């Protein structure tokens, strides 16, 4: 069976794709075969036994035991085979190999985030080739569904619980990820890529480099790293950069200004205030907002907080 994209199905990118396609085609072809057979026989009998002048009705035939047993047993064996193949494939897709490489997946409106064992967070799913990869998936808000057509897998990401999904990519390249569960305004924009690296060392090299992307930035570009963190780490969901009020106050134009606080008083937005608001968000609540922000202590490194501060300074 070819691995390239066909007219009916996308290319086969994982070890399970060929098995899924085989069964899918088998069920489709069996359905077409019986549909044609039954329809042809039906029309033939309608024509053969039609009412016509000079034709007298014959007493209808009694049953034919051999024929009835045949058309009961053969389909029964076929559906048992379909069940068996489907069930075996289902169990296979449900059971990640024990040595699989693990990536954490977080669905959120409207973005996928992939977290690697060394703490790297990326918008795309990078994996080594020819190795089983286990995804441990959850959602930050509503139900999403991680769908990778070329790998023939799809599974819901649910808030408050973990779902598992696994695959083994067979060829390097880029593959599409969709969200397959309607989750609101930008559901159709909730797309990402699977990037299957050419080898395990190449994947490791990418991972190491992604782990210290801030170190690679010159000081005057540090704010770009902060912008990336703002987009990736969940700041964006509550804090706008265009002045619009969200779950939290906008970041636009607050640097160097006083923020009125709940319970009176105000705070100057400078480095220590921003740092405190990230690691201990309940310490000072801006007037008019709820104390709902979770702490980022341990989730953002000092260098990352510095980059976010640098980004805030650019939002005048
Ligand atoms: Cu997320 Cu649709």
């Amino acid at each position: 069976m070819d691995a390239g994209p066909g007219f009916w199905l996308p290319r086969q990118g994982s070890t399970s794709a060929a098995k899924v396609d085989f069964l899918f085609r088998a069920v489709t072809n069996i359905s077409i075969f019986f549909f044609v057979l039954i329809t042809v026989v039906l029309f033939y009998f309608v024509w053969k036994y039609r009412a016509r002048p000079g034709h007298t009705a014959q007493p209808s035939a009694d049953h034919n035991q051999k024929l009835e047993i045949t058309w009961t047993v053969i389909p029964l064996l076929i559906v048992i085979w379909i069940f068996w193949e489907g069930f075996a494939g289902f169990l296979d897709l449900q059971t990640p190999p024990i040595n699989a490489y693990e990536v954490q997946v977080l669905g959120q409106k409207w973005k996928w985030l992939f977290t690697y064992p060394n703490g790297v967070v990326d918008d795309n799913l990078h994996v080594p080739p020819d190795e089983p990869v286990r995804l441990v998936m959850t959602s930050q808000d509503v139900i999403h569904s991680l769908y990778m057509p070329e790998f023939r897998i799809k599974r819901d990401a649910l808030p408050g619980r973990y779902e598992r999904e696994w695959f083994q990519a067979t060829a390097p390249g880029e593959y599409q990820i969709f969200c397959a569960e309607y989750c609101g305004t930008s559901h159709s924009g909730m797309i990402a890529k699977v990037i299957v690296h050419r080898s395990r060392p190449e994947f490791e090299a990418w991972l190491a480099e992604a782990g210290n992307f801030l170190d690679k930035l010159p000081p005057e570009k540090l704010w770009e790293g902060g912008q990336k963190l703002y987009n990736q780490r969940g700041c964006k969901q509550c804090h706008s950069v265009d002045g619009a009020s969200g779950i939290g106050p906008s970041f636009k134009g607050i640097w160097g200004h006083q923020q009125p606080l709940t319970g009176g008083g105000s705070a100057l937005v400078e480095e220590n205030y921003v740092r405190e608001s990230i690691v201990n968000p309940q310490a000072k609540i801006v007037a008019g907002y709820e104390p709902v922000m979770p702490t980022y202590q341990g989730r953002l490194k000092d260098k990352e907080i510095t980059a976010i501060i640098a980004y805030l300074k650019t939002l005048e």
Side-chain angles (χ1 to χ4, degrees):
M1 212 163 287
D2 67 313
F7 180 73
W8 300 106
L9 294 168
R11 80 185 141 150
Q12 296 173 341
S14 73
T15 47
S16 48
K19 288 179 239 170
V20 172
D21 289 1
F22 168 73
L23 193 58
F24 178 78
R25 289 197 172 103
V27 171
T28 308
N29 290 334
I30 289 168
S31 306
I32 292 171
F33 173 77
F34 281 105
F35 173 76
V36 172
L37 179 74
I38 290 165
T39 310
V40 167
V41 171
L42 176 81
F43 279 103
Y44 173 69
F45 284 167
V46 165
W47 172 80
K48 186 168 187 219
Y49 299 108
R50 70 194 183 281
R52 51 193 187 270
H55 182 82
T56 45
Q58 303 292 311
S60 57
D62 206 342
H63 70 282
N64 183 325
Q65 202 160 28
K66 273 185 203 157
L67 192 62
E68 286 167 14
I69 288 174
T70 308
W71 78 34
T72 303
V73 169
I74 290 177
L76 183 67
L77 291 175
I78 293 173
V79 295
I80 288 173
W81 175 78
I82 291 173
F83 166 77
W84 178 252
E85 286 292 317
F87 186 60
F90 172 78
L91 287 183
D92 192 36
L93 287 172
Q94 290 295 310
T95 320
I98 205 107
N99 60 346
Y101 186 81
E102 191 171 284
V103 180
Q104 309 287 323
V105 181
L106 180 68
Q108 52 180 267
K109 292 195 246 175
W110 288 277
K111 188 176 195 41
W112 294 106
L113 279 188
F114 303 95
T115 307
Y116 299 85
N118 68 346
V120 166
V121 180
D122 201 81
D123 302 344
N124 292 311
L125 176 57
H126 291 255
V127 295
D130 302 316
E131 250 183 77
V133 174
R134 175 175 52 219
L135 305 176
V136 179
M137 321 199 306
T138 190
S139 167
Q140 189 172 287
D141 34 53
V142 298
I143 300 175
H144 303 276
S145 184
L146 190 82
Y147 177 34
M148 299 189 257
E150 283 127 330
F151 296 169
R152 309 293 191 270
I153 53 172
K154 177 165 74 175
R155 200 164 180 88
D156 283 4
L158 304 162
R161 61 180 281 183
Y162 295 96
E163 290 292 325
R164 285 172 307 165
E165 178 168 75
W166 79 277
F167 63 87
Q168 179 168 334
T170 50
E174 282 192 17
Y175 303 86
Q176 189 64 51
I177 295 176
F178 293 107
C179 177
E181 181 72 49
Y182 182 67
C183 54
T185 314
S186 299
H187 156 71
S188 62
M190 197 169 161
I191 51 181
K193 295 266 186 225
V194 189
I195 292 144
V196 180
H197 287 261
R198 280 194 293 270
S199 64
R200 177 76 192 217
E202 192 197 283
F203 168 73
E204 297 283 1
W206 170 83
L207 197 58
E209 188 169 329
N212 52 23
F213 80 101
L214 285 178
D215 297 339
K216 294 244 154 57
L217 290 171
E220 73 274 15
K221 294 275 186 195
L222 191 60
W223 70 271
E224 287 180 6
Q227 186 179 38
K228 186 173 171 182
L229 293 165
Y230 164 83
N231 284 316
Q232 283 186 346
R233 295 301 183 86
C235 317
K236 191 185 181 179
Q237 275 68 31
C238 301
H239 301 281
S240 80
V241 289
D242 61 2
S245 189
I247 293 166
S250 176
F251 285 168
K252 185 184 166 73
I254 59 169
W255 187 261
H257 292 82
Q258 297 284 337
Q259 287 275 61
L261 300 178
T262 301
S266 65
L268 178 68
V269 180
E270 43 76 55
E271 283 86 351
N272 287 307
Y273 167 77
V274 173
R275 186 189 157 79
E276 182 186 53
S277 297
I278 291 172
V279 299
N280 184 15
Q282 315 303 329
K284 296 189 177 77
I285 304 296
V286 174
Y289 294 94
E290 296 295 317
V292 291
M293 178 167 158
T295 175
Y296 276 74
Q297 182 131 44
R299 290 169 66 191
L300 285 173
K301 295 179 220 144
D302 286 349
K303 179 108 196 185
E304 292 172 324
I305 292 174
T306 307
I308 289 171
I309 289 169
Y311 176 53
L312 268 180
K313 289 179 184 169
T314 68
L315 298 171
E316 284 312 309

